[in-house]
Amino acid sequence: MKILILNSGSSSIKFQLIDMPSEEVIGKGLIEKIGLKDASITVKNAKGKKSSLQLNIPNHAKGIEFLLSILTDVNMEIISSLDELSAVGHRIVHGGQAFAKSVLINEDVMHGIESCIELAPLHNPANIKGVQAMELAIPGISQVAVFDTAFHHSIPEHRAIYALPIDLYKKYGLRKYGFHGTSHQYVSLRAKEIYGDDKTSKIITCHLGNGGSLSAIQDGKSIETSMGFSPTDGLMMGTRCGSIDPGAIPFIAEHEHLDMAGISELINKKSGLQGISGISSDYRDVSSAADKGNNDAKLALEMFHYDVKKYIGTYMASLGGVDTIIFTGGIGENSAQARREILKGLEGLGIVVDDEKNDKVMGIEADISPDNNGVRVCVIPTNEEVMIARDTFDIVS
Ligand code: ADP
């Protein structure tokens, strides 16, 4: 069964075509700069053959139309007709309190996703456009919504609610939701596939990319995560500040003469690695500036590494210990330096990295802890698309 996976953003759509249940990727690519002059679409087939076109793509619907015609282009050798497409799986960022698992999309579900727009104003509208564009292109095709928030529904209420007046929770659902759920779930399931029951009961997953979050997973269920009501909370990230003293917000607003839009821009776009280093939001850029002696870049890295370490300690308390720590996301998968610096000093808690193993690991699955060590430390590249394909396959079959 061939399933198209879509991750629709405001000006881009990432996609993969996955054959299920074999999980073989038979095509993938990206539609970029939708609505802009230099919009483009890139598609690769399983053999690596690539088609890259600059086109006029005014909206998501036109983007999907072009995508489907490239997927069925005989020269691309991906599929020969749209009849081969059995279903579409969508990454939907926010499922609010209503969606605790993936669902087949119908009118009620669309209303539910729309009602979560106020919780994710930057993401859900774009996700909805992806669903609508597909319905327009292939009316009646089965579409499944897979939510970033769903995996964290198992977090107990007392850990999810903020100590604000309870009415705000009751009226607006103001609570921790958590994000990156599909990634945290994928890597924890993968650990179980690789290691079986050996040290997979208490897992801490560290998804470190431009956005980043940690999750504490007990017997396959998320019991804590670092992002909260919004994806700004938790770790310091590329451009987001992560968790700060809420009392600082009115102070900044007053002294910097910022309204709420200005505050939102400051905490989401101008903070994190970018805000501290003044150089870049990209870990590699900040790291190379630090290597050349830039003190602000060094400070930004120290802050980032410490932040992740702090959450690992916190989640050991939540879980009552830890069996396995998993690194994933662009930084977690590729940076031996980040993994080493984050875990430095945790030897007393039984957490040790084998430097020789660690230095060799970039973007591959590997155990980087010494043999016979108490806590397993490993790297597992994430695969959110395959997780979406699995849920879609289960639901439509
Ligand atoms: P997103 O959250 O946008 O999906 P990614 O998971 O792709 O982000 O992660 C992007 C981050 O990963 C960037 O900060 C980038 O510098 C970092 N990164 C990618 N490759 C490497 C590498 N080889 N070494 C260190 N950091 C890396």
Side-chain angles (χ1 to χ4, degrees):
M1 179 188 287
K2 296 185 176 69
I3 296 178
L4 182 63
I5 308 303
L6 295 185
N7 180 352
S8 309
S10 55
S11 64
S12 71
I13 304 176
K14 286 188 199 144
F15 57 86
Q16 283 196 11
L17 185 61
I18 300 183
D19 191 30
M20 294 299 286
S22 72
E23 301 189 351
E24 188 197 343
V25 178
I26 51 179
K28 65 175 174 182
L30 176 68
I31 306 172
E32 280 180 289
K33 301 193 178 174
I34 297 171
L36 297 176
K37 265 206 304 251
D38 48 349
S40 66
I41 176 163
T42 305
V43 180
K44 250 192 204 171
N45 75 6
K47 294 178 199 148
K49 184 173 178 185
K50 193 165 139 183
S51 164
S52 202
L53 298 169
Q54 287 237 337
L55 294 160
N56 178 24
I57 309 178
N59 51 41
H60 287 62
K62 203 72 196 166
I64 292 294
E65 200 184 302
F66 284 134
L67 166 62
L68 296 178
S69 73
I70 297 176
L71 289 179
T72 47
D73 179 348
V74 279
N75 296 317
M76 284 307 288
E77 301 166 75
I78 297 176
I79 47 172
S80 47
S81 123
L82 290 182
D83 295 341
E84 288 183 52
L85 271 190
S86 299
V88 184
H90 293 268
R91 174 193 183 210
I92 307 285
V93 167
H94 219 305
Q97 303 202 77
F99 298 108
K101 54 184 183 4
S102 306
V103 284
L104 187 67
I105 299 178
N106 58 25
E107 221 172 290
D108 284 347
V109 169
M110 280 303 269
H111 289 316
I113 298 172
E114 278 159 12
S115 70
C116 295
I117 286 179
E118 65 174 0
L119 299 173
L122 300 179
H123 295 101
N124 274 31
N127 303 158
I128 289 169
K129 281 185 193 165
V131 178
Q132 289 167 335
M134 250 350 280
E135 173 61 24
L136 211 62
I138 312 181
I141 190 161
S142 299
Q143 302 205 65
V144 169
V146 179
F147 301 95
D148 267 24
T149 46
F151 182 56
H152 301 302
H153 261 251
S154 43
I155 296 176
E157 202 176 35
H158 71 276
R159 292 182 183 162
I161 298 179
Y162 301 115
L164 292 162
I166 192 82
D167 277 358
L168 294 174
Y169 169 50
K170 291 184 178 160
K171 268 202 280 191
Y172 308 116
L174 194 82
R175 49 161 282 168
K176 179 193 284 261
Y177 289 100
F179 299 87
H180 292 141
T182 320
S183 175
H184 291 296
Q185 187 178 18
Y186 172 80
V187 295
S188 60
L189 280 173
R190 185 72 194 124
K192 197 89 174 131
E193 276 169 21
I194 303 171
Y195 306 111
D197 290 336
D198 177 32
K199 295 197 278 194
T200 48
S201 172
K202 296 172 182 179
I203 296 180
I204 297 176
T205 45
C206 312
H207 177 111
L208 311 176
N210 284 317
S213 66
L214 273 78
S215 190
I217 299 170
Q218 173 100 53
D219 300 320
K221 289 203 161 80
S222 170
I223 60 154
E224 247 297 11
T225 195
S226 59
M227 281 180 171
F229 174 71
S230 78
T232 317
D233 195 14
L235 287 183
M236 161 184 180
M237 303 173 222
T239 59
R240 288 171 246 172
C241 62
S243 115
I244 58 166
D245 178 357
I249 295 289
F251 179 91
I252 300 168
E254 190 183 334
H255 287 78
E256 292 285 309
H257 311 292
L258 291 177
D259 60 9
M260 278 307 146
I263 288 285
S264 180
E265 167 99 0
L266 182 89
I267 61 177
N268 285 302
K269 303 266 170 68
K270 296 183 174 168
S271 299
L273 291 175
Q274 171 71 55
I276 298 295
S277 72
I279 288 170
S280 169
S281 61
D282 190 285
Y283 184 91
R284 277 167 300 191
D285 295 345
V286 179
S287 184
S288 72
D291 289 344
K292 289 181 193 129
N294 183 301
N295 284 329
D296 291 339
K298 278 188 204 165
L299 176 63
L301 290 186
E302 277 169 11
M303 288 172 66
F304 176 73
H305 297 146
Y306 174 70
D307 226 5
V308 183
K309 184 199 301 279
K310 191 175 69 180
Y311 275 101
I312 289 173
T314 307
Y315 291 170
M316 285 179 74
S318 309
L319 289 162
V322 63
D323 299 322
T324 291
I325 296 173
I326 304 173
F327 284 97
T328 194
I331 303 169
E333 292 166 23
N334 296 303
S335 174
Q337 165 187 280
R339 298 186 295 255
R340 183 180 61 243
E341 293 301 317
I342 287 165
L343 298 183
K344 200 185 263 176
L346 297 183
E347 297 80 6
L349 299 174
I351 301 168
V352 183
V353 170
D354 180 320
D355 283 334
E356 213 173 296
K357 289 185 190 170
N358 184 37
D359 287 346
K360 289 188 198 128
V361 176
M362 213 184 188
I364 52 165
E365 289 178 350
D367 185 331
I368 55 168
S369 40
D371 299 334
N372 308 319
N373 177 46
V375 176
R376 175 188 297 118
V377 181
C378 61
V379 176
I380 300 182
T382 194
N383 193 339
E384 288 159 286
E385 291 79 10
V386 102
M387 208 63 230
I388 297 174
R390 284 179 196 170
D391 276 9
T392 304
F393 178 69
D394 286 348
I395 288 174
V396 299
S397 44

